[in-house]
């Protein structure tokens, strides 16, 4: 269901999810910061905007949270 509704962003979505899982044993803030070469404070701000704790790991997020984060990264022209 979600994939059908997110068709315009589906490739971007998968890239984002891959980025989130790219660093083992890292929290979501550090994984995204490393993958996108962005300062941790910038990623932290985005996570707060999306009401997601920067201390969570990628496996703790649900699909809606991933979608929200993907959209925010696209809106900020990071992805």
């Amino acid at each position: 269901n979600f994939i059908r509704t997110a068709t315009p962003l589906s490739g971007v979505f998968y890239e984002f999810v891959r980025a989130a899982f790219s660093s083992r044993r890292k929290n979501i803030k550090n994984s995204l910061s490393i993958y996108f070469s962005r300062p941790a404070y910038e990623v932290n701000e985005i996570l707060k905007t999306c009401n997601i704790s920067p201390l969570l790991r990628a496996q703790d997020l649900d699909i809606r949270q991933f979608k929200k984060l993907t959209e925010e990264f696209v809106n900020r022209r990071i992805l």
Side-chain angles (χ1 to χ4, degrees):
N1 231 359
F2 168 76
I3 299 303
R4 282 188 229 143
T5 61
T7 301
L9 292 177
S10 61
V12 173
F13 177 78
Y14 287 120
E15 180 183 349
F16 186 84
V17 172
R18 192 173 328 116
F21 283 95
S22 65
S23 297
R24 290 182 167 267
R25 300 183 183 195
K26 298 277 187 193
N27 59 40
I28 191 75
K29 177 187 70 178
N30 290 336
S31 292
L32 297 175
S33 178
I34 292 166
Y35 188 88
F36 292 110
S37 300
R38 296 293 191 165
Y41 71 84
E42 182 181 6
V43 174
N44 195 45
E45 179 185 308
I46 294 168
L47 290 164
K48 285 184 179 182
T49 299
C50 296
N51 295 316
I52 297 170
S53 169
L55 301 177
L56 292 176
R57 293 187 178 189
Q59 65 265 23
D60 298 324
L61 275 60
D62 64 28
I63 194 131
R64 288 178 196 89
Q65 290 171 309
F66 274 115
K67 182 177 184 249
K68 193 173 188 178
L69 277 172
T70 303
E71 291 169 346
E72 189 63 29
F73 270 68
V74 168
N75 289 341
R76 292 178 186 232
R77 302 187 192 288
I78 296 172
L79 185 63

